[in-house]
Amino acid sequence: MRIVIARCQVDYAGRLSAHLPLATRVIMVKADGSVLVHSDGGSYKPLNWMSPPCTLTVREPEPGEDGVTAVWTVQNDKTDDRLVIDLHEILHESTHDLGLDPGLVKDGVEAHLQVLLAEQVETFGAGWRLVRREYPTPIGPVDLLCRDEQGVAVAVEVKRRGEIDGVEQLTRYLDLLNRDPLLSPVRGVFAAQEIKPQARTLAVDRGIACVTVDYDALRGVDDPTSRLF
């Protein structure tokens, strides 16, 4: 991971436009190619970013770009989206090899939810079968790899609460899995007890199905015959 603390101006262009005026910020360039721009407060999320697949190029400033020492352009490989960072002064720069990350240790509910869905995979549809839990990829394991009733491979990401980060995670898994000729085409399912509207919108836009699951029903705690309504 490359970490740069610099006075910079940032512009995003493509499906939307955004501008960050000149200020001191932290720029992170990750091993997967993603570039993130952070401030010192406000949120744990970056102010702006570009997700992989993307390409970073660096050029010298042109006449009229006063005060600029270098221009970084991060171009999305599949769309016209690009992130342009005008560097005015680099205050600190370092590179670190973080090694292989073991992945997130999930809380009890989320881990148990994954187990329950693996055991009751027909929750997603009649004729579904489980290929493997924690199916490995170079960037971490997919929660469930299944085959649907037509034999098509399906990667299922399981969350207690479905948010945008989970959709991004599943998107990266699908990109890698679809490179495997023995699996491709692989479609995605985002399964959670609760799915945020923004996450659902992003998932649908990327062709990922969303499934809301009932934890208690899967555990057998919710007995419909005992309800008044």
Side-chain angles (χ1 to χ4, degrees):
M1 178 182 290
R2 182 181 179 188
I3 300 173
V4 178
I5 300 176
R7 293 184 66 248
C8 61
Q9 171 181 295
V10 184
D11 289 280
Y12 191 100
R15 287 170 293 181
L16 57 85
S17 297
H19 173 72
L20 294 172
L22 185 63
T24 301
R25 301 185 177 91
V26 176
I27 306 168
M28 300 172 62
V29 183
K30 294 187 176 181
D32 64 2
S34 56
V35 178
L36 306 94
V37 181
H38 287 269
S39 67
D40 197 23
S43 173
Y44 65 92
K45 293 184 178 180
L47 297 170
N48 218 325
W49 69 94
M50 182 66 72
S51 300
C54 57
T55 303
L56 169 63
T57 58
V58 180
R59 67 168 174 84
E60 297 294 322
E62 298 176 350
E65 294 179 324
D66 297 334
V68 177
T69 59
V71 178
W72 291 12
T73 300
V74 189
Q75 178 68 54
N76 189 290
D77 293 346
K78 295 183 177 180
T79 70
D80 291 332
D81 291 343
R82 65 186 180 278
L83 188 69
V84 180
I85 305 173
D86 293 341
L87 295 174
H88 285 246
E89 181 185 6
I90 293 179
L91 306 175
H92 170 83
E93 182 171 1
S94 60
T95 303
H96 308 272
D97 183 0
L98 302 185
L100 183 64
D101 192 282
L104 179 68
V105 178
K106 301 176 181 178
D107 65 38
V109 171
E110 189 169 302
H112 194 203
L113 185 59
Q114 182 193 129
V115 172
L116 290 170
L117 286 171
E119 294 172 347
Q120 303 174 55
V121 72
E122 289 199 351
T123 298
F124 301 114
W128 278 51
R129 61 183 177 85
L130 178 69
V131 176
R132 179 174 171 176
R133 281 185 58 214
E134 302 288 343
Y135 187 88
T137 79
I139 59 172
V142 177
D143 288 335
L144 306 175
L145 184 66
C146 305
R147 294 278 182 182
D148 66 14
E149 71 281 0
Q150 296 178 341
V152 176
V154 186
V156 181
E157 183 63 25
V158 180
K159 299 292 184 186
R160 184 169 58 88
R161 177 178 297 171
E163 300 184 353
I164 285 178
D165 289 349
V167 178
E168 294 285 5
Q169 182 181 1
L170 179 54
T171 300
R172 293 192 292 271
Y173 289 150
L174 288 171
D175 181 64
L176 288 169
L177 292 171
N178 272 301
R179 299 178 194 178
D180 185 344
L182 297 179
L183 292 176
S184 181
V186 184
R187 62 186 185 92
V189 169
F190 191 51
Q193 290 179 269
E194 173 192 1
I195 300 176
K196 296 293 186 180
Q198 299 92 332
R200 185 180 295 274
T201 298
L202 180 61
V204 171
D205 181 67
R206 294 183 176 180
I208 295 171
C210 292
V211 177
T212 303
V213 295
D214 187 327
Y215 180 63
D216 288 337
L218 289 169
R219 293 171 60 205
V221 172
D222 181 21
D223 183 0
T225 62
S226 65
R227 300 179 190 166
L228 293 177
F229 303 98

